[in-house]
Amino acid sequence: QVDVVESGGGLVQPGGSLRLSCAHYNIIFSISDMGWYRQAPGKQRELVATTGRTTTYADFVKGRFTISRDYGKNTVDLQMNSLEPEDTAVYYCNVVAGNSAYWGQGTQVTVSS
C-alpha cells in the first residue's frame, strides 16, 4: 500500500517559520517529481513548490520558502520563513511516479497572532 505522510504543520505567528516534511512508502515506480500544494478555505488547491528535474516555486512564495528533497530517505521538505496570514491553508504533499500522482492527507498551517 502506497503511503504519503506529511508532518510539521501547526500554529505560528506572522513572520515566523515552519518546516514541513513528507515521506513516501511503497512506491515502486521511478519518482519524477515531489512537491507541495496548499488549499485555503473556499479556494482551489494551488501549487506551492515542486522539485524533480527542475524546481518550481509559486510566485507568492519566492524568497520565503525553500523545497529540498532527500533521495536516499524518500523525503521532501518545505522550509517556510516569513510566514503571513495569507499562507494559512492545508498543505499537501504530492508525489509523481510513472503515470500516477499520490497525495498525502494534508497538514494544517495556521498563521495568526
Side-chain angles (χ1 to χ4, degrees), residues 19-35:
R19 188 177 184 89
L20 305 183
S21 295
C22 170
H24 64 83
Y25 306 93
N26 301 320
I27 296 178
I28 61 174
F29 294 105
S30 178
I31 293 170
S32 56
D33 290 275
M34 295 183 71

Side-chain angles (χ1 to χ4, degrees), residues 22-79:
C22 170
H24 64 83
Y25 306 93
N26 301 320
I27 296 178
I28 61 174
F29 294 105
S30 178
I31 293 170
S32 56
D33 290 275
M34 295 183 71
W36 292 90
Y37 291 70
R38 72 184 188 185
Q39 187 166 17
K43 295 187 177 181
Q44 290 187 331
R45 191 171 298 188
E46 61 184 356
L47 169 74
V48 176
T50 63
T51 185
R53 280 176 289 183
T54 60
T55 297
T56 301
Y57 291 96
D59 287 342
F60 56 76
V61 302
K62 282 183 179 178
R64 301 189 298 131
F65 294 6
T66 303
I67 190 169
S68 59
R69 181 174 170 182
D70 188 323
Y71 289 82
K73 295 181 179 179
N74 295 332
T75 60
V76 63
D77 290 355
L78 184 69
Q79 177 65 42

Side-chain angles (χ1 to χ4, degrees), residues 83-100:
L83 284 162
E84 304 166 352
E86 293 73 22
D87 295 316
T88 296
V90 178
Y91 284 69
Y92 296 91
C93 181
N94 173 261
V95 180
V96 179
N99 294 322
S100 300

